[in-house]
């Protein structure tokens, strides 16, 4: 049964109200509040029952047939919402806007909030370590503006990007944006990529918000950014009904202020999650996150993904770490106090959005309590942080909120005695009434002589007198009791005196609950006026926590303070990969990495599994740590300021877009070659292995030559093409190094030590043996290899081996003649690729 197919006039009044509201929210699953349940009808009910594995029932709605319906209890709705939102659905919560007790006829209802992937604010549904961004994209045909915000923290940012889809997609992925609002003129291919390839929720809106929240972009002059912010605001305020009073003014991000890393680099270096398990554990962030607050954890991740290029700002963080390490007693006290602070940023969002409860206020109070001590400790350290202690808010919460309040706001016991005179009087009446009931029970027992008489209470009959069946005969008409209820073993009565006192007590109880709720809202409104100040405090606390975490890491893992230079000089002594060092059962082998101003490229050879990739990754990690303001895993580090890092590490097909390993290699190589500067760092691990030997080797040599001679940036290039090591004699800026290994009694032993010079043996069969291939295969491969090595060749170094078959000698092919005339050192990578296609076509024609 479909909602739009039914006869509206036949519907019951309640179902008409539902349909009217649902028509305004066709894109959302409407959770319609009926008493203690949220109910979903028609298509929403069918879909929700399937996705949530709930029983689909029916409801009488005035039609001949019952309409499809499923429901969930309102007090346990959160897990259901989380499950639906995670699957990409939007949920509209429709609440009762009037008290049913005081309303005649139909209770007024309306949607109070819409929840989607990017707009969750409930702390129980959020990852405390992650920001939860929703974004707006405006395409101006010559540039993109990306405006993104975290509803749960109140932070909003905007960035202008060149009109290149790869730049836009990279920014979206590196930020972890969950939902994007687009205008309907955006490229459909881009929409398909973001939704299908990266799992980002896409919403559409062409409107902008004009009259509200102008203060959020009041200081912005660029009209492009203003339109993008207004576009996002319309969606949040009008479409999703969000209160954004906790938002800080929009901050414009300038990418040139930070070390640039694309999403491939972030993943290849396992900065925030591992490649294999896609999990935070064993990532670099996992290692360095010793924060004590959720806010500090998110701040540290932001620092890691946005390393600085400003030398003064970096050195300022070094000084703070050094000071904390020297003042370790203060640091320990500071960390203990930080541990007492809850997520103030997200508590502010709950206050703003109206979902705050009394227990949230207690978390805020406990957080505010330790601020004076933290301020004193920061002052002792001499740090330039301005910490507001918010004594007025702490005193308000201390005076008003019970220490153990209920979760809901309509159960009473929210407000302390002594806070409000009227409330105290009502509580006195309630207390006196209850004392009366207890005294009245004893009085009746003595007066009637019925020893097991009880005075009780239930919601149906109120207060009552209960007499067991065996003593009913002792109830006299002179008591003037009125029989109300018959039970199996007892009778229940009421008396005029009891009902009179009941009215007083129950009336006081209702007034207490209503007054406490109103007083709670007054407290909330007072705090709401200081939300932006609280947000500033939260940001300062987050920075203190993040820098303290880096201090703990430096001390715990024996990191050292690096030096920064402007001379294109790189020197690392005893460098280590900190995560591998932490989790490995073996003793880690330290390695140096020294590249003076005359050396741009280290060409690394060595067996598989010997540690080439680890050596490359550890250099990038040391650079990133240094520029985020952290100490680094080495005994000494003198580093240049790097502007961009590009990596091509590991072989992986892009199954979603149907691209092969080789195509992915070439695209990532192209990205590096086209965007790197002399101040960049490039890591190429076995480039060219995804295609035929000669193709791969030719491209690897051409790319290596181009990077070394035309770009001149610091590059680590590992390879199994030993022929490339001759480039050291041709290009002075290339230096050969190798990862050493040795053979003992036919067994390969990795030494994991980087040494100067090249190596001319790959030990492939030894690695296969270590992998556990059957001895028969290993022995056969050893025999075949010996045959090839002993077989006389006219030009052994350059001859490609033919397996299993030999052909009679033929006249040299024109293709080979063309190949001999190629000078790879004078070709760009694109020219090399084009030449490769040309030679391939010649071969096909010959066939």
């Amino acid at each position: 049964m479909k909602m739009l197919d039914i006869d509206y006039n036949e519907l019951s009044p309640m179902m008409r109200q539902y349909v009217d509201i649902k028509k305004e929210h066709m894109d959302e699953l409407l959770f319609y509040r009926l008493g203690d349940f949220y109910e979903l009808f028609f298509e929403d009910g069918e879909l929700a029952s399937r996705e949530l594995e709930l029983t689909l029932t029916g409801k009488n709605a005035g039609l001949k047939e019952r309409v499809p319906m499923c429901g969930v209890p309102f007090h346990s709705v959160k897990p259901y919402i989380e499950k639906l939102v995670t699957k990409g659905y939007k949920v509209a919560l429709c609440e009762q806007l009037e008290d049913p007790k005081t309303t005649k006829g139909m209770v007024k209802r309306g949607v109070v909030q819409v929840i989607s992937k990017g707009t969750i604010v409930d702390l129980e549904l959020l990852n405390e370590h992650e920001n939860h961004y929703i974004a707006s994209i405006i395409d101006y045909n010559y540039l993109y503006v990306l405006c993104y915000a975290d509803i749960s923290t109140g932070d909003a940012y905007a960035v202008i990007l060149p009109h290149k889809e790869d730049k836009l997609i990279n920014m979206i992925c590196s930020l972890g944006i969950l939902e994007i609002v687009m205008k309907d003129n955006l490229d459909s291919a881009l929409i398909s990529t973001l939704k299908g390839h990266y799992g980002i929720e896409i919403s559409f809106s062409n409107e902008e918000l004009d009259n509200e929240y102008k203060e959020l972009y009041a200081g912005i002059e660029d009209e492009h950014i203003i339109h993008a912010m207004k576009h996002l605001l319309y969606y949040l305020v009008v479409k999703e009904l969000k209160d954004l009073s906790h938002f800080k003014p929009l901050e414009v991000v300038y990418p040139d202020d930070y070390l640039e890393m694309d999403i491939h680099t972030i993943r290849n270096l396992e900065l925030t999650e591992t490649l294999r398990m896609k999990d935070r554990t064993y990532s670099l962030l996992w290692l360095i996150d010793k924060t004590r607050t959720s806010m500090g954890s998110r701040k540290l991740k932001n620092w890691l993904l946005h390393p600085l290029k400003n030398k003064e700002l970096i050195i300022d963080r070094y000084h703070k770490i050094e000071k904390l390490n020297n003042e370790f007693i203060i640091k320990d006290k500071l960390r203990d106090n930080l541990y007492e602070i809850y997520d103030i940023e997200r508590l502010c969002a709950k206050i703003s959005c109206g979902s705050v409860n009394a227990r949230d206020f207690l978390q805020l109070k406990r957080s505010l309590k330790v601020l004076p001590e933290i301020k004193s400790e920061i002052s002792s350290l001499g740090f330039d942080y301005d910490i507001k202690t918010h004594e007025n808010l702490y005193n308000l919460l201390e005076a008003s909120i019970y220490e153990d309040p209920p979760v809901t706001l309509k159960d009473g016991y929210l407000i302390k005695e002594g806070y409000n005179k009227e409330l105290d009087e009502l509580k006195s009446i309630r207390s006196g009434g209850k004392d009366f009931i207890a005294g009245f029970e004893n009085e009746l027992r003595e007066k009637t002589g019925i020893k097991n008489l009880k005075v009780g209470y239930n919601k149906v009959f109120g207060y009552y007198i209960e007499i067991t069946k065996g003593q009913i005969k002792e109830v006299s008409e002179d008591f003037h009791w009125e029989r109300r209820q018959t039970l199996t073993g007892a009778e229940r009565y009421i008396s005029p005196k009891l009902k009179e006192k009941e009215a007083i007590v129950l009336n006081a109880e209702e007034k207490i609950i209503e007054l406490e709720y109103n007083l709670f809202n007054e407290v909330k409104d007072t705090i709401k006026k200081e939300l932006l100040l609280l947000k500033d405090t939260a940001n300062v606390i987050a920075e203190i926590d993040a820098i303290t975490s880096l201090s703990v890491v430096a001390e715990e893992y024996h990191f050292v303070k690096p030096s920064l230079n402007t001379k294109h000089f790189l020197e690392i002594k005893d460098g280590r990969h900190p995560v591998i060092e932490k989790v490995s059962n073996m003793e880690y082998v330290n390695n140096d990495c020294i590249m003076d101003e005359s050396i741009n490229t280290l060409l690394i050879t060595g067996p598989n599994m010997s540690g080439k990739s680890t050596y490359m990754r550890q250099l990038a990690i040391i650079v990133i740590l240094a520029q985020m303001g952290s100490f680094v895993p080495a005994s000494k580090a003198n580093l240049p300021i790097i502007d961009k890092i590009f990596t091509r590490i590991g072989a992986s097909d892009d199954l979603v877009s149907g691209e092969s390993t080789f195509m992915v290699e070439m695209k990532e190589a192209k990205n590096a070659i086209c965007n790197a500067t002399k101040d960049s760092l490039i890591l190429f691990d076995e480039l060219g292995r995804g295609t035929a030997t000669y193709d791969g080797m030719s491209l690897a040599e051409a790319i290596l030559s181009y990077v070394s001679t035309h770009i001149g940036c610091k590059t680590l290039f590992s390879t199994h093409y030993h022929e490339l090591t001759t480039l050291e004699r041709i290009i002075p800026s290339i230096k050969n190094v190798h990862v050493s290994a040795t053979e003992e009694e036919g067994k390969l032993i990795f030494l994991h030590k980087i040494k100067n010079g090249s190596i001319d043996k790959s030990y492939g069969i030894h690695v296969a043996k270590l992998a556990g291939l059957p001895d028969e295969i290993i022995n056969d491969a050893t025999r075949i290899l010996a045959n090839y090595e002993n077989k006389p060749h006219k030009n052994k170094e350059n001859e490609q081996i033919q397996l299993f078959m030999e052909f009679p000698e033929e006249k040299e092919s024109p293709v080979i003649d063309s190949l001999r005339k190629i000078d790879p050192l004078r070709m760009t990578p694109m020219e090399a690729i084009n030449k490769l296609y040309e030679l391939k076509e010649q071969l096909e024609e010959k066939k």
Side-chain angles (χ1 to χ4, degrees):
M1 183 184 294
K2 297 187 180 299
M3 185 186 77
L4 297 180
D5 293 340
I6 51 95
D7 187 343
Y8 178 83
N9 295 320
E10 293 182 2
L11 292 173
S12 63
M14 185 278 292
M15 192 54 68
R16 286 182 192 174
Q17 184 189 61
Y18 169 83
V19 171
D20 290 339
I21 296 171
K22 175 60 185 176
K23 284 180 178 178
E24 298 297 320
H25 295 276
M26 296 301 290
D27 293 336
E28 295 90 33
L29 292 172
L30 183 65
F31 277 56
Y32 183 79
R33 178 74 178 272
L34 282 171
D36 290 340
F37 282 82
Y38 287 110
E39 296 186 357
L40 300 95
F41 302 102
F42 298 105
E43 295 96 323
D44 283 7
E46 293 172 348
L47 191 152
S49 68
R50 183 176 66 251
E51 296 290 356
L52 299 174
E53 300 178 3
L54 298 172
T55 301
L56 182 67
T57 62
K59 189 177 186 72
N60 292 322
L63 303 175
K64 294 179 181 178
E65 299 178 60
R66 288 159 61 90
V67 301
M69 184 270 285
C70 74
V72 296
F74 87 96
H75 56 79
S76 59
V77 71
K78 290 179 182 178
Y80 298 106
I81 292 177
E82 179 184 22
K83 190 172 184 179
L84 289 170
V85 170
T86 301
K87 291 186 173 188
Y89 297 104
K90 297 178 185 178
V91 171
L93 290 182
C94 179
E95 298 286 359
Q96 297 172 169
L97 304 180
E98 298 174 324
D99 189 342
K101 296 177 182 177
T102 60
T103 304
K104 293 183 179 180
M106 179 69 64
V107 175
K108 184 179 179 181
R109 292 180 176 85
V111 172
V112 296
Q113 66 169 315
V114 176
I115 304 169
S116 57
K117 256 188 182 181
T119 58
I120 298 174
V121 294
D122 197 301
L123 299 184
E124 295 177 20
L125 305 181
L126 293 169
N127 184 334
E128 63 179 345
H129 302 294
E130 306 284 342
N131 279 106
H132 213 77
Y133 289 127
I134 181 172
S136 162
I137 298 174
I138 303 292
D139 183 357
Y140 288 101
N141 294 320
Y142 56 94
L143 58 83
Y144 291 111
V145 178
L146 181 69
C147 188
Y148 56 100
D150 185 342
I151 304 292
S152 70
T153 65
D155 295 317
Y157 306 92
V159 58
I160 295 177
L161 298 168
H163 201 261
K164 297 179 179 178
E165 283 192 7
D166 58 341
K167 291 278 188 184
L168 176 64
I169 291 171
N170 177 70
M171 178 64 76
I172 291 168
C173 293
S174 62
L175 289 169
I177 291 171
L178 299 171
E179 182 178 357
I180 296 175
V181 186
M182 296 180 171
K183 293 191 174 183
D184 55 19
N185 65 343
L186 225 65
D187 180 37
S188 59
L190 174 62
I191 296 170
S192 177
T193 299
L194 291 171
K195 190 168 185 176
H197 198 156
Y198 296 102
I200 296 169
E201 185 68 23
I202 305 296
S203 301
F204 293 95
S205 170
N206 291 326
E207 304 296 328
E208 295 182 6
L209 190 70
D210 280 330
N211 299 319
E212 294 181 71
Y213 298 109
K214 289 182 178 180
E215 65 278 6
L216 296 182
Y217 52 85
I220 306 297
E221 296 181 358
D222 193 314
E223 288 295 324
H224 301 93
I225 294 175
I226 292 174
H227 284 299
M229 184 61 176
K230 289 163 72 174
H231 180 242
L232 181 59
L233 286 174
Y234 180 87
Y235 182 80
L236 295 176
V237 175
V238 177
K239 300 285 285 183
E240 300 226 341
L241 307 173
K242 303 300 181 188
D243 182 341
L244 307 182
S245 56
H246 65 296
F247 264 45
K248 292 195 302 184
L250 179 68
E251 180 181 338
V252 179
V253 176
Y254 299 97
D256 287 343
D257 291 344
Y258 305 99
L259 189 161
E260 182 182 322
M261 299 180 289
D262 61 22
I263 189 62
H264 305 294
T265 297
I266 292 169
R267 288 174 177 170
N268 286 335
L269 297 178
E270 300 183 305
L271 297 186
T272 60
E273 65 178 20
T274 58
L275 281 168
R276 178 172 294 183
M277 303 301 295
K278 306 296 182 186
D279 191 68
R280 190 176 192 269
T281 304
Y282 303 132
S283 67
L284 181 61
L285 181 60
W286 163 80
L287 183 84
I288 66 172
D289 190 352
K290 307 293 182 182
T291 56
R292 309 307 294 270
T293 70
S294 302
M295 302 174 295
S297 183
R298 294 193 294 270
K299 178 70 73 175
L300 189 70
K301 181 180 179 181
N302 183 270
W303 285 3
L304 178 61
L305 294 179
H306 300 89
L308 300 168
K309 286 162 59 178
N310 185 305
K311 186 177 178 180
E312 291 182 3
L313 295 177
I314 297 171
I315 290 175
D316 180 63
R317 289 182 187 172
Y318 292 165
H319 287 163
K320 287 184 169 77
I321 292 172
E322 203 165 34
K323 183 71 173 179
L324 284 164
N325 286 347
N326 291 334
E327 300 288 350
F328 55 88
I329 295 177
I330 297 177
K331 179 174 74 175
D332 288 344
K333 290 180 181 178
L334 178 61
R335 296 192 76 223
D336 289 342
N337 284 324
L338 287 171
Y339 189 69
E340 299 298 319
I341 293 183
Y342 290 82
D343 199 335
I344 298 175
E345 283 184 329
R346 286 181 168 165
L347 287 173
C348 287
K350 291 192 73 174
I351 293 169
S352 175
C353 296
S355 59
V356 69
N357 59 39
R359 295 185 182 183
D360 295 325
F361 277 170
L362 290 183
Q363 290 185 359
L364 180 60
K365 185 185 80 171
R366 291 164 190 158
S367 302
L368 299 178
K369 183 178 181 180
V370 297
L371 289 182
E373 291 183 51
I374 291 176
K375 183 171 185 175
S376 174
E377 288 150 3
I378 291 300
S379 177
S380 299
L381 292 166
F383 291 171
D384 54 350
Y385 293 117
D386 180 20
I387 301 176
K388 296 177 177 61
T389 53
H390 305 280
E391 288 94 342
N392 57 326
L393 295 187
Y394 174 79
N395 292 334
L396 172 64
L397 292 170
E398 173 66 18
S400 60
I401 305 298
Y402 265 126
E403 292 301 329
D404 188 23
V407 175
T408 60
L409 302 179
K410 294 295 184 72
D411 290 341
Y413 298 96
L414 297 175
I415 307 299
K416 288 181 176 179
E417 285 82 3
Y419 179 72
N420 179 274
K421 184 178 179 180
E422 181 184 356
L423 180 63
D424 289 346
E425 289 175 355
L426 287 170
K427 287 182 177 179
S428 177
I429 293 172
R430 179 178 66 182
S431 176
K434 290 182 178 180
D435 291 343
F436 163 80
I437 297 300
F440 186 61
E441 183 178 81
N442 292 329
E443 179 185 328
L444 286 178
R445 285 177 179 174
E446 291 177 9
K447 183 178 178 180
T448 63
I450 305 172
K451 301 302 181 184
N452 61 356
L453 176 151
K454 293 180 181 178
V455 176
Y457 172 82
N458 65 33
K459 291 184 178 180
V460 178
F461 297 106
Y463 287 102
Y464 56 80
I465 303 165
E466 184 175 292
I467 307 295
T468 61
K469 292 283 189 182
Q471 295 188 308
I472 291 176
K473 59 181 181 297
E474 298 183 33
V475 177
S476 169
E477 291 184 3
D478 296 337
F479 296 168
H480 304 292
W481 293 356
E482 181 182 339
R483 190 193 303 268
R484 271 299 173 91
Q485 188 180 18
T486 300
L487 303 178
T488 303
E491 294 286 342
R492 288 177 176 174
Y493 304 84
I494 60 171
S495 73
K497 188 175 181 180
L498 186 61
K499 298 307 289 183
E500 178 186 346
K501 207 65 179 179
E502 176 191 282
I504 296 172
V505 173
L506 292 183
N507 190 43
E509 187 74 40
E510 288 182 3
K511 286 185 176 180
I512 287 169
I513 290 175
E514 182 180 358
L515 182 56
E516 285 200 332
Y517 179 73
N518 292 335
L519 291 171
F520 178 87
N521 284 329
E522 287 179 11
V523 172
K524 181 179 71 175
D525 291 340
T526 301
I527 297 173
K528 204 169 180 179
K529 294 174 183 177
E530 283 200 33
L531 283 186
L532 293 183
L533 292 175
L534 279 170
K535 288 267 299 168
D536 290 338
T537 300
N539 185 58
V540 172
I541 294 299
E543 284 208 20
I544 293 169
D545 195 16
I547 204 73
T548 306
S549 175
L550 294 179
S551 168
V552 173
V553 168
E555 195 171 43
E556 185 174 335
Y557 300 131
H558 309 292
F559 287 9
V560 299
K561 181 172 77 170
S563 301
L564 302 176
N565 68 76
T566 56
K567 297 182 178 180
H568 210 54
F569 177 78
L570 189 150
E571 179 187 23
I572 296 172
K573 291 283 190 180
D574 301 318
R576 316 186 302 274
H577 190 302
V579 179
I580 295 177
E581 181 186 34
K582 168 72 174 176
V583 302
S584 176
N585 295 324
M586 302 170 59
E587 184 178 352
Y588 192 87
V589 178
N590 304 332
N591 273 301
D592 300 343
C593 184
I594 300 174
M595 304 171 74
D596 60 29
E597 294 177 63
S598 65
I599 299 297
N600 294 329
T601 303
L602 293 185
L603 183 57
I604 311 167
T605 51
N608 283 316
M609 296 175 59
S610 61
K612 298 191 299 297
S613 297
T614 298
Y615 178 69
M616 298 171 76
R617 283 188 173 99
Q618 82 181 31
L619 170 61
I621 284 173
I622 287 172
V623 167
I624 292 166
L625 286 172
Q627 288 187 218
M628 73 176 284
S630 169
F631 285 15
V632 299
S635 62
K636 178 184 178 182
N638 189 354
L639 305 167
I641 299 291
I642 298 296
D643 64 353
K644 303 173 185 179
I645 297 179
F646 302 94
T647 65
R648 173 57 214 168
I649 300 176
S652 57
D653 290 4
D654 192 337
L655 298 178
V656 176
S657 61
E659 293 179 346
S660 66
T661 296
F662 183 61
M663 179 57 78
V664 173
E665 278 189 349
M666 291 300 102
K667 282 192 170 183
E668 293 186 11
K670 174 237 178 185
N671 182 44
I673 291 165
C674 294
N675 294 291
T677 73
K678 66 178 180 62
D679 295 320
S680 300
L681 173 64
I682 294 178
L683 308 179
F684 281 154
D685 187 18
E686 299 185 29
L687 194 68
R689 63 183 167 183
T691 188
T693 304
Y694 281 160
D695 289 358
M697 186 167 62
S698 301
L699 279 167
E701 182 172 336
I703 291 171
L704 178 58
S705 301
Y706 185 89
V707 170
S708 299
T709 57
H710 288 73
I711 301 175
C713 64
K714 298 300 184 188
T715 304
L716 267 57
F717 196 111
S718 74
T719 186
H720 282 295
Y721 298 135
H722 300 124
E723 293 82 355
L724 299 185
T725 59
T726 59
L727 288 175
E728 182 185 54
R729 300 194 297 269
I730 303 170
I731 304 175
S733 61
I734 295 178
K735 179 182 178 181
N736 287 330
V737 296
H738 69 276
V739 188
S740 57
T742 186
E743 288 183 69
E744 291 185 6
E745 298 178 356
K747 293 183 179 180
L748 180 64
I749 300 175
F750 298 121
L751 302 179
H752 303 293
K753 198 70 179 176
I754 297 292
K755 295 183 178 180
N756 291 330
S758 63
I759 193 170
D760 59 1
K761 193 173 182 179
S762 64
Y763 298 99
I765 293 176
H766 294 80
V767 174
K769 186 175 182 180
L770 287 174
L773 282 178
D775 289 342
E776 182 179 352
I777 293 176
I778 299 299
N779 295 335
D780 201 24
T782 303
R783 178 184 58 77
I784 293 171
L785 177 63
N787 288 338
Y788 286 135
E789 290 177 339
N790 295 328
K791 183 179 178 181
H793 295 292
K794 293 179 181 178
N795 192 0
K796 188 173 182 178
E797 287 186 2
N798 295 320
E799 185 174 14
Q800 186 174 14
I801 295 169
Q802 292 284 340
L803 296 182
F804 308 120
M805 298 178 66
E806 292 187 8
F807 296 93
E809 191 172 328
E810 294 182 3
K811 185 178 178 181
E812 187 174 86
S813 167
V815 176
I816 296 177
D817 184 56
S818 297
L819 198 58
R820 291 186 191 281
K821 296 176 182 178
I822 293 174
D823 184 358
L825 299 182
R826 296 181 179 274
M827 300 176 73
T828 67
M830 188 56 66
E831 289 172 342
I833 292 173
N834 291 335
K835 192 65 179 176
L836 204 56
Y837 281 119
E838 181 185 318
L839 295 174
K840 186 175 180 182
E841 287 176 0
Q842 289 182 33
L843 282 174
E844 294 296 330
E845 289 173 4
K846 186 176 178 183
K847 288 181 181 178

